[in-house]
Amino acid sequence: MKDDLHFYLMLGLLPMAALITYVNIFVGPAELSDIPEGYEPKEWEYHRSPIKRWFANYIYEEPQKEYEKTLYWIHYWSEKKYWNNLGRKVKQLMENRLDYKGWYWVNADQMSGAVIIISPDKSSFTLDKSSVHTGQIFQMTLTSQSPP
């Protein structure tokens, strides 16, 4: 067990130590110099250590790209929250006013003990919820609209 641990540690540590030593001796740290006219340095070129430059170039995302991703997710979740709140408000208004010309229903659990009274000409109906705990009577009038 102990020999296996030493073997695998040395299998990874020796090549990494050799690579780090080679890079630090032969490549060395970057030095500041004037930027040539018309050349725009990449983000990864600003790091001093060659190993950090390699990680910034090939492993990590650019800070601007990360910033744009963060902005996208903030926008996505705020839009989702806005539309969910709007849908909730519309549903609440449809339930309260009972005047929406479309398909809408009230759950049977909420209708327990209620009586619906439809007028003979079918132009209005009354939802009598006086037997329910609210004691309110709702009335809705149906009107037909002529085409424009």
Side-chain angles (χ1 to χ4, degrees):
M1 175 75 169
K2 185 177 174 183
D3 291 336
D4 290 340
L5 178 67
H6 286 152
F7 173 72
Y8 287 114
L9 282 176
M10 292 303 140
L11 188 67
L13 287 178
L14 286 179
M16 288 303 288
L19 179 70
I20 291 171
T21 304
Y22 172 80
V23 167
N24 285 330
I25 291 174
F26 294 106
V27 177
E31 296 176 5
L32 287 177
S33 62
D34 292 334
I35 298 173
E37 189 69 32
Y39 177 73
E40 186 173 332
K42 306 279 192 234
E43 180 67 32
W44 58 270
E45 293 175 343
Y46 286 105
H47 295 280
R48 185 164 189 224
S49 168
I51 297 172
K52 286 183 182 178
R53 281 197 306 269
W54 187 85
F55 271 98
N57 191 14
Y58 296 108
I59 305 294
Y60 301 135
E61 293 285 349
E62 296 175 2
Q64 292 87 356
K65 198 174 191 180
E66 288 293 323
Y67 179 72
E68 292 290 331
K69 285 182 188 178
T70 304
L71 287 180
Y72 165 76
W73 285 111
I74 290 171
H75 175 71
Y76 173 80
W77 288 109
S78 66
E79 283 289 315
K80 189 170 182 174
K81 182 179 177 182
Y82 170 77
W83 288 110
N84 285 340
N85 287 340
L86 186 63
R88 195 175 305 115
K89 183 178 179 181
V90 166
K91 215 168 197 180
Q92 180 186 16
L93 290 174
M94 285 169 48
E95 182 180 332
N96 292 342
R97 296 179 183 170
L98 292 174
D99 64 350
Y100 184 74
K101 196 171 184 178
W103 298 103
Y104 181 77
W105 66 89
V106 179
N107 291 336
D109 297 341
Q110 297 172 353
M111 294 291 292
S112 60
V115 178
I116 299 175
I117 304 167
I118 301 174
S119 64
D121 60 352
K122 295 184 180 176
S123 62
S124 67
F125 72 86
T126 304
L127 177 62
D128 182 6
K129 290 182 76 172
S130 58
S131 60
V132 187
H133 66 281
T134 59
Q136 298 175 350
I137 296 177
F138 298 100
Q139 183 168 353
M140 178 176 138
T141 304
L142 303 173
T143 59
S144 62
Q145 296 180 355
S146 58

